[in-house]
Amino acid sequence: MIKGIKGVKDLLPEETPRWRLIEEAARRWAGRYGFHEIRIPIFEVTTLFARSIGASTDIVEKEMYTFQDRDGTSLTLRPEGTAGTVRSYIEHNRAAIPVPQKYFYFGPMFRHERPQAGRLRQFHQFGVESIGMADPRADVEVIALLWRILSDLNLPNLTLEINNLGYSADRDTYRPHLVTYLKQHESGLCANCQHRIEVNPLRVLDCKVPECRVITETAPRLGDSLSEAARSYFTQVSAALDVIKIPYSLNHRLVRGLDYYNLTTFEVTATNLGAQNAVGAGGRYDGLVETLGGPPTPAVGFAVGLERMLMLLPDSSVGKGLEDVAVYVAGFGSHGPVAGLTALEELRLAGIHAVSDFRSANLKAHLRQADRLACRFTLIIGDDEVVKGSAILRDMETKVQYDVNLATLSPQIQSLLPTS
RNA sequence: GUGGGUGUAGCUCAGCUGGUUAGAGCGCCGGAUUGUGGAUCCGGAGGUCGCGGGUUCGAAACCCGUCAUCCACCCCA
């Protein structure tokens, strides 16, 4: 038997209604906030991701699905959506368009990681990118959109945390202070963090190892090294969040794993997700467009993991599945099957949800299938009915049966169906 | 990449310190009801015990390997 790939899942018909619920909520709210859908390729030239996400990040170093095109070009299955969106923005010179460029996207992302709860190799994200506005209200708009979607879906026990990463110059002045401090306490840090001191010292701040946390609790804070401009920007962001009543808390340890973030960063976590507790996260990335060869352009965005939202979605959110009132057509005997097929087609052309199980050869089997398919009505057409030019419409709940004329089938049935 | 748990019927799982025909519940099929579903009763089908090797008179059970899966580390959405 050929099986699917590790960490890559099929979404069977039983689960797609839950997905659609989430997708529709995201789409609806994105529209209200003035974001428009963009659809970008699933694979890109490898250098795009290396340059945007950061060559020394885990994603680029060891998690990308990279392969050679026939001409030798290195291509990569996208591990996230921002890089491709920004590439598209630059390539199509969207900067020339005089209205704010606000995009949203849906789609699969690929990272070669060991699967576990809330983590797959092919997973799905919804993301937004607000490109061109260097205004705290743009940050707040994006955060608010994220929060509204999650709230609308009634996802429980969510926490929104925000932090100020400052400008890159701020981090340059802060980094030596942090490194000096960390080196003084190096022996108390975990092996991983000892390595991080050299590679990416800021990441030591959000290490989960308790010993590391004790040490970093009293470490110099980035907040104390921030420039006046960065402080003022962040103050405006948090003040605006207060104004529109988005609940958040400050987390000075919040350091994103992708290199392109600056100023505002944020993350929504859930308590009931297992180890992978981040539902959605994002931040401002003012340098990225320029890094990728475009004009200096401020931008802010986020991405949420659809699988993680799905894990949190209350069961009560999704109905039984078959909301449409359906008519089951039971054609049997020697002439019933053909008459039934005619009836099926006529009902469907009239806009009625009509089904049949062609395996069923007698009325009993048909009725059992009608029951299993949760059809409200069954249209019974056996040889007797064909001779009379009529059929029996049985209400499966009340067991009341009506005679209907085959010549005027759909209008009669239409009038008997409950108006919805 | 590292560690731990679990692989027995379509599904959820039992199966005692190895013992002879491998079980249950649910589901499925048929009958009671030769043209009327859901309930009930009766009957039935369905398993290379993940795979390979080893120990043993004898292995679903013990050992080794391997694969799959889940969880955790790591990392992130």
Side-chain angles (χ1 to χ4, degrees), chain A residues 111 113-114 116-117 119 125 196 203 256-257 275-276 279 308 367 371-372 384-385 394 396 399 401:
Chain A
R111 294 182 196 173
E113 299 183 277
R114 195 76 171 265
Q116 73 182 77
R119 193 172 74 181
Q125 287 188 336
R196 282 176 177 142
R203 293 207 51 83
R256 312 267 57 244
Q276 308 299 320
V279 180
R308 293 183 186 177
L367 285 169
D371 187 51
R372 284 178 176 155
D384 296 352
E385 286 71 28
R394 176 180 175 85
M396 299 297 279
K399 301 185 180 184
Q401 302 196 155

Coordinates of all heavy atoms in Angstrom, one line a residue, chain A residues 111 113-114 116-117 119 125 196 203 256-257 275-276 279 308 367 371-372 384-385 394 396 399 401, chain B residues 1-4 27-31 33 35-38 68-77:
Chain A
R111 N 7.7 22.5 6.3 CA 9.0 22.5 7.0 C 9.3 21.1 7.4 O 8.4 20.4 8.0 CB 8.8 23.4 8.3 CG 8.6 24.9 8.0 CD 8.5 25.7 9.2 NE 8.0 27.0 8.9 CZ 7.6 27.9 9.8 NH1 7.8 27.7 11.1 NH2 7.1 29.1 9.4
E113 N 10.3 19.0 9.9 CA 10.4 18.9 11.3 C 9.9 17.6 11.7 O 9.1 16.9 11.0 CB 9.7 20.0 12.0 CG 10.2 21.4 11.7 CD 9.5 22.4 12.5 OE1 8.4 22.8 12.2 OE2 10.0 22.8 13.6
R114 N 10.2 17.1 12.9 CA 9.7 15.9 13.4 C 8.2 16.2 13.9 O 8.0 17.1 14.7 CB 10.5 15.5 14.6 CG 10.3 14.1 15.1 CD 11.0 13.1 14.2 NE 10.9 11.8 14.8 CZ 11.9 11.2 15.5 NH1 13.0 11.9 15.7 NH2 11.7 10.1 16.1
Q116 N 4.7 16.4 15.7 CA 4.2 16.2 17.0 C 2.9 16.9 17.1 O 2.4 17.4 16.1 CB 5.2 16.6 18.1 CG 5.3 18.1 18.2 CD 6.4 18.5 19.3 OE1 7.6 18.4 19.0 NE2 5.9 18.9 20.4
A117 N 2.3 17.0 18.3 CA 1.0 17.6 18.5 C 1.1 19.1 18.0 O 2.0 19.8 18.5 CB 0.6 17.6 19.9
R119 N 2.2 20.1 15.1 CA 3.3 20.4 14.2 C 3.3 19.3 13.1 O 3.5 18.2 13.4 CB 4.6 20.5 15.0 CG 5.7 21.0 14.1 CD 6.9 21.3 14.9 NE 7.6 20.0 15.2 CZ 8.7 20.0 15.9 NH1 9.2 21.1 16.4 NH2 9.3 18.8 16.2
Q125 N -1.4 27.9 6.9 CA -1.4 29.2 7.5 C -2.4 30.1 6.8 O -2.6 30.0 5.6 CB 0.0 29.9 7.5 CG 0.9 29.2 8.5 CD 2.2 30.0 8.6 OE1 2.6 30.7 7.7 NE2 2.9 29.9 9.7
R196 N 24.1 30.0 21.8 CA 23.4 31.1 21.3 C 24.0 32.4 21.6 O 23.8 33.4 20.9 CB 22.0 31.1 21.9 CG 21.0 30.2 21.3 CD 19.7 30.2 22.0 NE 18.7 29.4 21.4 CZ 17.8 28.7 22.2 NH1 17.8 28.7 23.5 NH2 16.9 27.9 21.6
R203 N 17.9 35.3 21.5 CA 17.1 34.1 21.6 C 17.2 33.4 22.9 O 16.4 32.7 23.3 CB 17.4 33.1 20.5 CG 17.0 33.6 19.1 CD 16.6 32.5 18.2 NE 15.7 31.6 18.7 CZ 14.4 31.8 18.8 NH1 13.8 32.9 18.2 NH2 13.6 30.9 19.3
R256 N 11.1 37.0 18.2 CA 10.7 36.1 17.2 C 11.8 35.4 16.5 O 13.0 35.8 16.5 CB 9.9 36.9 16.1 CG 8.9 37.9 16.6 CD 7.5 37.3 16.6 NE 7.4 36.1 17.4 CZ 7.1 34.9 17.0 NH1 6.9 34.7 15.7 NH2 7.0 33.9 17.8
G257 N 11.5 34.2 15.9 CA 12.5 33.4 15.4 C 13.0 33.8 14.0 O 13.9 33.2 13.5
A275 N 2.7 21.3 23.6 CA 4.0 22.0 23.7 C 4.0 23.2 22.6 O 4.7 24.2 22.8 CB 5.2 21.1 23.4
Q276 N 3.4 22.9 21.5 CA 3.4 23.9 20.5 C 2.2 24.9 20.7 O 1.1 24.7 20.2 CB 3.2 23.3 19.1 CG 4.2 22.2 18.8 CD 5.7 22.6 18.9 OE1 6.0 23.7 18.4 NE2 6.5 21.9 19.5
V279 N -0.5 30.1 18.6 CA -1.6 30.0 17.6 C -1.2 30.9 16.4 O -1.4 30.5 15.3 CB -2.9 30.4 18.2 CG1 -4.0 30.3 17.2 CG2 -3.2 29.6 19.5
R308 N -3.6 24.6 14.3 CA -3.7 24.9 15.8 C -5.0 25.6 16.1 O -5.6 25.3 17.2 CB -2.5 25.8 16.1 CG -1.2 25.0 16.0 CD 0.0 25.8 16.4 NE 1.2 25.0 16.1 CZ 2.4 25.4 16.3 NH1 2.7 26.6 16.8 NH2 3.4 24.6 16.0
L367 N -34.4 2.9 1.9 CA -34.8 3.7 3.1 C -33.7 3.7 4.1 O -33.6 4.7 4.8 CB -36.1 3.1 3.6 CG -37.4 3.4 2.8 CD1 -38.6 2.6 3.3 CD2 -37.7 4.9 2.9
D371 N -32.0 7.1 5.5 CA -31.9 7.4 7.0 C -30.5 7.7 7.3 O -30.2 8.7 8.0 CB -32.4 6.1 7.7 CG -32.5 6.4 9.2 OD1 -33.1 7.4 9.6 OD2 -31.9 5.6 10.0
R372 N -29.5 6.9 6.8 CA -28.1 7.1 7.1 C -27.6 8.5 6.6 O -26.8 9.1 7.2 CB -27.3 6.0 6.5 CG -27.4 4.8 7.3 CD -26.6 3.7 6.6 NE -26.6 2.5 7.4 CZ -26.4 1.3 7.0 NH1 -26.2 1.1 5.7 NH2 -26.4 0.2 7.8
D384 N -45.0 0.2 -9.7 CA -46.3 0.6 -9.6 C -46.5 2.1 -9.8 O -47.4 2.6 -10.5 CB -46.9 0.4 -8.1 CG -46.9 -1.1 -7.8 OD1 -46.7 -1.9 -8.7 OD2 -47.2 -1.4 -6.6
E385 N -45.5 2.9 -9.3 CA -45.5 4.3 -9.5 C -45.3 4.7 -10.9 O -45.9 5.6 -11.4 CB -44.5 5.0 -8.6 CG -44.9 5.0 -7.1 CD -44.8 3.6 -6.4 OE1 -44.0 2.8 -6.9 OE2 -45.6 3.4 -5.5
R394 N -42.0 10.6 0.9 CA -42.2 10.2 2.3 C -41.4 11.2 3.2 O -40.2 11.4 3.0 CB -41.7 8.8 2.5 CG -41.7 8.3 4.0 CD -41.2 6.9 4.1 NE -41.1 6.4 5.4 CZ -42.0 5.9 6.1 NH1 -43.3 5.8 5.6 NH2 -41.8 5.4 7.3
M396 N -39.5 11.6 6.2 CA -38.8 10.6 7.1 C -39.0 10.9 8.6 O -38.8 10.0 9.4 CB -37.3 10.5 6.7 CG -37.0 10.1 5.3 SD -37.6 8.5 4.9 CE -36.3 7.5 5.6
K399 N -43.3 10.6 8.8 CA -43.7 9.4 8.1 C -45.0 9.6 7.3 O -45.7 8.7 6.9 CB -44.0 8.2 9.1 CG -42.8 7.8 9.9 CD -43.1 6.6 10.8 CE -41.8 6.3 11.6 NZ -42.0 5.1 12.4
Q401 N -46.9 10.5 3.9 CA -46.5 10.3 2.5 C -47.5 11.0 1.6 O -48.7 11.0 1.9 CB -46.5 8.8 2.2 CG -45.6 8.0 3.1 CD -45.2 6.6 2.7 OE1 -44.2 6.1 3.0 NE2 -46.1 6.0 1.8
Chain B
rG1 P 17.0 12.4 10.6 OP1 17.2 13.5 9.6 OP2 17.4 11.1 10.3 O5' 17.7 12.9 11.9 C5' 19.2 13.1 11.9 C4' 19.5 13.7 13.2 O4' 18.9 15.1 13.3 C3' 19.0 13.1 14.5 O3' 19.9 12.0 14.8 C2' 19.1 14.2 15.5 O2' 20.4 14.4 15.9 C1' 18.6 15.4 14.6 N9 17.2 15.7 14.7 C8 16.3 15.5 13.7 N7 15.1 15.9 14.1 C5 15.2 16.2 15.4 C6 14.2 16.6 16.4 O6 13.0 16.8 16.2 N1 14.8 16.9 17.6 C2 16.1 16.7 17.9 N2 16.5 17.0 19.2 N3 17.1 16.3 17.0 C4 16.5 16.1 15.8
rU2 P 19.2 10.7 15.6 OP1 20.2 9.6 15.7 OP2 17.9 10.4 14.9 O5' 19.0 11.2 17.1 C5' 20.1 11.5 17.9 C4' 19.6 12.0 19.3 O4' 18.8 13.2 19.1 C3' 18.6 11.0 19.9 O3' 19.2 10.0 20.6 C2' 17.9 12.0 20.9 O2' 18.7 12.2 22.0 C1' 17.7 13.2 20.1 N1 16.5 13.3 19.3 C2 15.3 13.7 20.0 O2 15.3 13.9 21.2 N3 14.2 13.7 19.3 C4 14.0 13.4 18.0 O4 12.9 13.5 17.4 C5 15.2 13.1 17.3 C6 16.4 13.0 18.0
rG3 P 18.4 8.6 20.8 OP1 19.4 7.6 21.3 OP2 17.7 8.2 19.5 O5' 17.3 8.9 21.9 C5' 17.7 9.0 23.2 C4' 16.6 9.5 24.1 O4' 16.0 10.7 23.5 C3' 15.4 8.6 24.2 O3' 15.6 7.5 25.1 C2' 14.3 9.5 24.6 O2' 14.4 9.9 26.0 C1' 14.6 10.7 23.7 N9 13.8 10.7 22.5 C8 14.3 10.4 21.2 N7 13.3 10.5 20.3 C5 12.2 10.9 21.0 C6 10.9 11.1 20.6 O6 10.4 11.0 19.4 N1 10.0 11.4 21.6 C2 10.4 11.5 22.9 N2 9.4 11.8 23.8 N3 11.6 11.3 23.4 C4 12.5 11.0 22.4
rG4 P 15.0 6.1 24.8 OP1 15.6 5.1 25.8 OP2 15.0 5.8 23.4 O5' 13.5 6.3 25.3 C5' 13.1 6.4 26.6 C4' 11.7 6.8 26.8 O4' 11.5 8.0 26.0 C3' 10.6 5.9 26.2 O3' 10.3 4.8 27.2 C2' 9.4 6.8 26.0 O2' 8.8 7.1 27.3 C1' 10.1 8.1 25.5 N9 10.2 8.0 24.0 C8 11.2 7.8 23.2 N7 10.9 7.8 21.9 C5 9.6 8.1 21.9 C6 8.7 8.3 20.8 O6 8.9 8.2 19.6 N1 7.4 8.6 21.3 C2 7.0 8.7 22.6 N2 5.7 9.0 22.8 N3 7.8 8.5 23.6 C4 9.1 8.3 23.2
rG27 P -23.7 -0.1 16.4 OP1 -24.8 0.9 16.2 OP2 -24.1 -1.5 16.7 O5' -22.7 -0.2 15.1 C5' -22.3 1.1 14.6 C4' -21.3 0.8 13.5 O4' -20.2 0.0 14.0 C3' -21.8 -0.1 12.3 O3' -22.5 0.7 11.4 C2' -20.5 -0.6 11.7 O2' -19.9 0.3 11.0 C1' -19.7 -0.9 13.0 N9 -19.9 -2.2 13.5 C8 -20.6 -2.7 14.6 N7 -20.6 -4.0 14.8 C5 -19.7 -4.4 13.7 C6 -19.3 -5.7 13.4 O6 -19.6 -6.8 14.0 N1 -18.5 -5.7 12.3 C2 -18.2 -4.6 11.6 N2 -17.4 -4.9 10.5 N3 -18.5 -3.4 11.9 C4 -19.3 -3.4 12.9
rC28 P -23.7 0.0 10.5 OP1 -24.3 1.0 9.6 OP2 -24.6 -0.7 11.5 O5' -22.9 -1.1 9.7 C5' -22.0 -0.7 8.6 C4' -21.4 -1.9 8.0 O4' -20.7 -2.7 8.9 C3' -22.5 -2.9 7.4 O3' -23.0 -2.5 6.2 C2' -21.6 -4.2 7.4 O2' -20.8 -4.2 6.3 C1' -20.8 -4.1 8.6 N1 -21.4 -4.7 9.8 C2 -21.2 -6.1 9.9 O2 -20.7 -6.7 9.0 N3 -21.8 -6.7 11.0 C4 -22.4 -6.0 12.0 N4 -22.9 -6.7 13.0 C5 -22.5 -4.6 11.9 C6 -22.0 -4.0 10.8
rC29 P -24.5 -2.7 5.9 OP1 -24.8 -2.0 4.6 OP2 -25.3 -2.5 7.1 O5' -24.6 -4.3 5.5 C5' -23.9 -4.8 4.4 C4' -24.0 -6.3 4.4 O4' -23.2 -6.8 5.5 C3' -25.3 -6.9 4.6 O3' -26.1 -6.9 3.3 C2' -25.0 -8.3 5.0 O2' -24.6 -9.1 4.0 C1' -23.9 -8.0 6.0 N1 -24.3 -7.8 7.4 C2 -24.6 -8.9 8.2 O2 -24.5 -10.0 7.7 N3 -25.0 -8.8 9.4 C4 -25.1 -7.5 9.9 N4 -25.5 -7.4 11.2 C5 -24.9 -6.4 9.2 C6 -24.5 -6.5 7.9
rG30 P -27.7 -6.7 3.4 OP1 -28.1 -6.6 2.0 OP2 -28.0 -5.7 4.4 O5' -28.1 -8.1 4.0 C5' -28.0 -9.3 3.2 C4' -28.4 -10.5 4.0 O4' -27.5 -10.6 5.2 C3' -29.8 -10.5 4.6 O3' -30.8 -10.9 3.6 C2' -29.7 -11.6 5.6 O2' -29.6 -12.9 5.1 C1' -28.3 -11.3 6.2 N9 -28.3 -10.4 7.4 C8 -28.0 -9.1 7.4 N7 -28.2 -8.5 8.6 C5 -28.6 -9.6 9.4 C6 -29.0 -9.7 10.8 O6 -29.0 -8.8 11.6 N1 -29.4 -11.0 11.1 C2 -29.5 -12.0 10.3 N2 -29.9 -13.2 10.8 N3 -29.2 -12.0 9.0 C4 -28.7 -10.8 8.6
rG31 P -32.3 -10.3 3.8 OP1 -33.0 -10.7 2.6 OP2 -32.2 -8.9 4.2 O5' -32.8 -11.2 5.0 C5' -33.0 -12.6 4.9 C4' -33.4 -13.2 6.2 O4' -32.4 -12.9 7.2 C3' -34.7 -12.7 6.8 O3' -35.8 -13.2 6.2 C2' -34.5 -13.1 8.3 O2' -34.8 -14.4 8.4 C1' -33.0 -12.8 8.5 N9 -32.7 -11.5 9.0 C8 -32.2 -10.4 8.4 N7 -32.0 -9.4 9.2 C5 -32.5 -9.9 10.4 C6 -32.5 -9.2 11.7 O6 -32.2 -8.0 12.0 N1 -33.0 -10.0 12.7 C2 -33.4 -11.3 12.5 N2 -33.9 -12.0 13.6 N3 -33.3 -12.0 11.3 C4 -32.9 -11.2 10.4
rU33 P -41.9 -12.0 9.5 OP1 -42.1 -10.9 10.4 OP2 -43.0 -12.9 9.2 O5' -41.4 -11.3 8.1 C5' -42.4 -10.7 7.2 C4' -41.9 -9.3 6.9 O4' -41.7 -8.6 8.1 C3' -40.6 -9.3 6.1 O3' -40.8 -8.8 4.8 C2' -39.7 -8.3 6.9 O2' -39.3 -7.2 6.1 C1' -40.7 -7.7 7.9 N1 -40.1 -7.4 9.2 C2 -39.3 -6.3 9.4 O2 -39.0 -5.6 8.5 N3 -38.8 -6.1 10.6 C4 -39.1 -6.9 11.8 O4 -38.6 -6.5 12.8 C5 -39.9 -8.0 11.5 C6 -40.4 -8.2 10.3
rG35 P -41.1 -6.9 -2.1 OP1 -42.5 -7.2 -2.7 OP2 -40.1 -6.3 -3.0 O5' -41.5 -6.0 -0.8 C5' -40.6 -5.1 -0.2 C4' -41.3 -3.8 -0.2 O4' -41.5 -3.3 -1.5 C3' -42.7 -3.8 0.5 O3' -42.6 -3.0 1.7 C2' -43.6 -3.0 -0.5 O2' -44.1 -1.8 0.1 C1' -42.6 -2.5 -1.6 N9 -43.2 -2.5 -2.9 C8 -43.4 -3.5 -3.8 N7 -43.9 -3.1 -4.9 C5 -43.9 -1.8 -4.8 C6 -44.4 -0.8 -5.7 O6 -44.8 -0.9 -6.9 N1 -44.3 0.5 -5.2 C2 -43.8 0.8 -4.0 N2 -43.8 2.1 -3.6 N3 -43.4 -0.1 -3.1 C4 -43.5 -1.3 -3.6
rU36 P -42.8 -3.5 3.1 OP1 -42.2 -4.8 3.3 OP2 -44.2 -3.2 3.4 O5' -41.9 -2.5 4.0 C5' -40.5 -2.3 3.8 C4' -40.2 -0.9 4.1 O4' -40.7 0.0 3.1 C3' -40.8 -0.5 5.5 O3' -39.8 0.1 6.3 C2' -41.9 0.5 5.1 O2' -41.9 1.6 6.0 C1' -41.4 1.1 3.8 N1 -42.5 1.5 2.9 C2 -42.7 2.9 2.8 O2 -42.1 3.7 3.6 N3 -43.7 3.3 2.0 C4 -44.4 2.5 1.1 O4 -45.3 3.0 0.4 C5 -44.1 1.1 1.2 C6 -43.2 0.7 2.0
rG37 P -39.0 -0.8 7.4 OP1 -38.6 -2.1 6.8 OP2 -39.8 -0.8 8.6 O5' -37.8 0.1 7.6 C5' -36.6 0.0 6.8 C4' -35.6 1.1 7.1 O4' -36.1 2.3 6.6 C3' -35.5 1.3 8.6 O3' -34.5 0.4 9.1 C2' -35.0 2.8 8.6 O2' -33.6 2.9 8.3 C1' -35.8 3.4 7.5 N9 -37.0 4.0 7.9 C8 -38.3 3.5 7.9 N7 -39.2 4.3 8.2 C5 -38.5 5.5 8.4 C6 -39.0 6.8 8.8 O6 -40.2 7.2 9.0 N1 -38.0 7.7 8.9 C2 -36.6 7.5 8.7 N2 -35.8 8.5 8.8 N3 -36.2 6.3 8.3 C4 -37.2 5.4 8.2
rG38 P -34.5 -0.2 10.6 OP1 -33.6 -1.3 10.7 OP2 -36.0 -0.3 10.9 O5' -34.0 1.0 11.5 C5' -32.6 1.5 11.4 C4' -32.5 2.7 12.2 O4' -33.5 3.6 11.6 C3' -32.8 2.6 13.6 O3' -31.6 2.8 14.4 C2' -33.9 3.6 14.0 O2' -33.4 4.6 14.9 C1' -34.1 4.3 12.7 N9 -35.6 4.4 12.4 C8 -36.5 3.5 12.2 N7 -37.7 3.9 12.0 C5 -37.5 5.3 12.0 C6 -38.5 6.3 11.9 O6 -39.7 6.2 11.6 N1 -37.9 7.6 11.9 C2 -36.5 7.8 12.2 N2 -36.1 9.1 12.2 N3 -35.6 6.8 12.3 C4 -36.2 5.6 12.2
rA68 P 9.1 5.1 8.5 OP1 9.0 5.9 7.4 OP2 10.1 5.4 9.6 O5' 7.7 4.9 9.2 C5' 6.6 4.5 8.3 C4' 5.4 4.2 9.2 O4' 5.7 3.1 10.0 C3' 5.0 5.3 10.1 O3' 4.2 6.3 9.4 C2' 4.1 4.6 11.1 O2' 2.9 4.2 10.6 C1' 5.0 3.3 11.3 N9 5.9 3.4 12.4 C8 7.3 3.6 12.3 N7 7.9 3.6 13.5 C5 6.8 3.3 14.4 C6 6.8 3.1 15.8 N6 7.8 3.2 16.6 N1 5.6 2.9 16.3 C2 4.5 2.8 15.6 N3 4.4 2.9 14.2 C4 5.6 3.2 13.7
rU69 P 4.3 7.9 9.9 OP1 3.5 8.7 8.9 OP2 5.7 8.2 10.2 O5' 3.4 7.8 11.3 C5' 2.1 7.6 11.3 C4' 1.6 7.3 12.7 O4' 2.3 6.2 13.3 C3' 1.9 8.4 13.7 O3' 0.9 9.4 13.6 C2' 1.9 7.7 15.0 O2' 0.5 7.4 15.4 C1' 2.6 6.4 14.6 N1 4.0 6.4 14.9 C2 4.4 6.2 16.2 O2 3.7 5.9 17.1 N3 5.8 6.2 16.4 C4 6.7 6.5 15.4 O4 7.9 6.4 15.8 C5 6.2 6.7 14.1 C6 4.9 6.7 13.9
rC70 P 1.2 10.9 14.0 OP1 0.1 11.8 13.5 OP2 2.6 11.2 13.6 O5' 1.2 10.9 15.6 C5' 0.0 10.7 16.3 C4' 0.2 10.5 17.7 O4' 1.1 9.3 17.9 C3' 1.0 11.6 18.4 O3' 0.1 12.6 18.8 C2' 1.6 10.8 19.6 O2' 0.6 10.6 20.6 C1' 2.0 9.5 19.0 N1 3.4 9.4 18.6 C2 4.3 9.1 19.5 O2 4.0 9.0 20.7 N3 5.6 9.1 19.1 C4 6.0 9.3 17.9 N4 7.3 9.2 17.5 C5 5.0 9.6 16.9 C6 3.7 9.7 17.2
rC71 P 0.6 14.1 18.9 OP1 -0.5 14.9 19.2 OP2 1.5 14.4 17.8 O5' 1.6 14.0 20.2 C5' 1.0 13.9 21.5 C4' 2.1 13.7 22.5 O4' 2.9 12.5 22.2 C3' 3.2 14.8 22.6 O3' 2.8 15.9 23.4 C2' 4.3 14.0 23.3 O2' 4.0 13.8 24.7 C1' 4.2 12.6 22.6 N1 5.1 12.5 21.5 C2 6.5 12.1 21.8 O2 6.8 12.0 23.0 N3 7.4 12.0 20.8 C4 7.0 12.2 19.5 N4 7.9 12.1 18.6 C5 5.6 12.6 19.2 C6 4.7 12.7 20.2
rA72 P 3.5 17.3 23.0 OP1 2.8 18.3 23.9 OP2 3.5 17.5 21.6 O5' 5.0 17.1 23.5 C5' 5.3 17.1 24.9 C4' 6.7 16.8 25.2 O4' 7.0 15.5 24.5 C3' 7.8 17.7 24.6 O3' 7.9 18.9 25.3 C2' 9.0 16.8 24.7 O2' 9.4 16.6 26.0 C1' 8.4 15.4 24.3 N9 8.6 15.2 22.8 C8 7.7 15.4 21.8 N7 8.2 15.2 20.6 C5 9.5 14.9 20.9 C6 10.6 14.5 20.0 N6 10.5 14.4 18.7 N1 11.8 14.3 20.6 C2 11.9 14.4 21.9 N3 10.9 14.7 22.8 C4 9.8 14.9 22.2
rC73 P 8.6 20.1 24.6 OP1 8.5 21.3 25.5 OP2 8.0 20.2 23.2 O5' 10.1 19.7 24.4 C5' 11.0 19.6 25.5 C4' 12.3 19.2 25.1 O4' 12.2 18.0 24.3 C3' 13.1 20.2 24.2 O3' 13.7 21.2 24.9 C2' 14.1 19.3 23.5 O2' 15.2 19.0 24.3 C1' 13.3 18.0 23.3 N1 12.7 17.9 22.0 C2 13.5 17.5 20.9 O2 14.7 17.3 21.1 N3 13.0 17.5 19.7 C4 11.7 17.7 19.4 N4 11.2 17.6 18.2 C5 10.8 18.0 20.5 C6 11.3 18.1 21.8
rC74 P 13.5 22.7 24.5 OP1 14.3 23.5 25.4 OP2 12.0 22.9 24.4 O5' 14.1 22.8 23.1 C5' 15.5 22.7 22.8 C4' 15.7 22.4 21.4 O4' 15.0 21.3 21.0 C3' 15.2 23.5 20.5 O3' 16.1 24.6 20.3 C2' 15.1 22.8 19.1 O2' 16.3 22.6 18.5 C1' 14.6 21.4 19.6 N1 13.1 21.3 19.6 C2 12.4 21.0 18.4 O2 13.1 20.8 17.4 N3 11.1 20.9 18.4 C4 10.4 21.2 19.5 N4 9.1 21.1 19.5 C5 11.0 21.5 20.8 C6 12.4 21.6 20.8
rC75 P 15.5 26.1 20.5 OP1 16.7 27.0 20.4 OP2 14.7 26.2 21.8 O5' 14.6 26.3 19.3 C5' 15.1 26.5 18.0 C4' 14.1 26.2 16.9 O4' 13.4 25.0 17.3 C3' 12.9 27.2 16.8 O3' 13.3 28.4 16.1 C2' 11.9 26.4 16.0 O2' 12.3 26.3 14.7 C1' 12.1 25.0 16.7 N1 11.1 24.8 17.8 C2 9.8 24.4 17.5 O2 9.6 24.2 16.3 N3 8.9 24.2 18.5 C4 9.2 24.5 19.7 N4 8.3 24.3 20.6 C5 10.5 24.9 20.1 C6 11.5 25.1 19.1
rC76 P 12.5 29.7 16.3 OP1 13.1 30.7 15.3 OP2 12.5 30.1 17.7 O5' 11.1 29.3 15.8 C5' 10.5 29.8 14.6 C4' 9.3 28.9 14.2 O4' 9.2 27.8 15.1 C3' 8.0 29.6 14.4 O3' 7.7 30.4 13.2 C2' 7.0 28.4 14.5 O2' 6.8 27.8 13.3 C1' 7.9 27.5 15.4 N1 7.6 27.5 16.8 C2 6.4 27.1 17.3 O2 5.5 26.7 16.5 N3 6.1 27.2 18.6 C4 7.1 27.6 19.5 N4 6.8 27.6 20.8 C5 8.4 28.1 19.0 C6 8.6 28.0 17.7
rA77 P 6.8 31.7 13.3 OP1 7.0 32.5 12.1 OP2 7.1 32.3 14.6 O5' 5.3 31.1 13.3 C5' 4.2 31.9 13.0 C4' 3.0 31.3 13.4 O4' 2.7 30.2 12.5 C3' 3.1 30.6 14.8 O3' 2.7 31.5 15.8 C2' 2.1 29.5 14.7 O2' 0.8 29.9 15.0 C1' 2.2 29.1 13.2 N9 3.1 28.0 13.0 C8 4.4 28.0 12.8 N7 5.0 26.9 12.5 C5 3.9 26.0 12.5 C6 3.8 24.6 12.3 N6 4.8 23.8 12.0 N1 2.6 24.1 12.3 C2 1.5 24.8 12.6 N3 1.5 26.2 12.8 C4 2.7 26.7 12.8

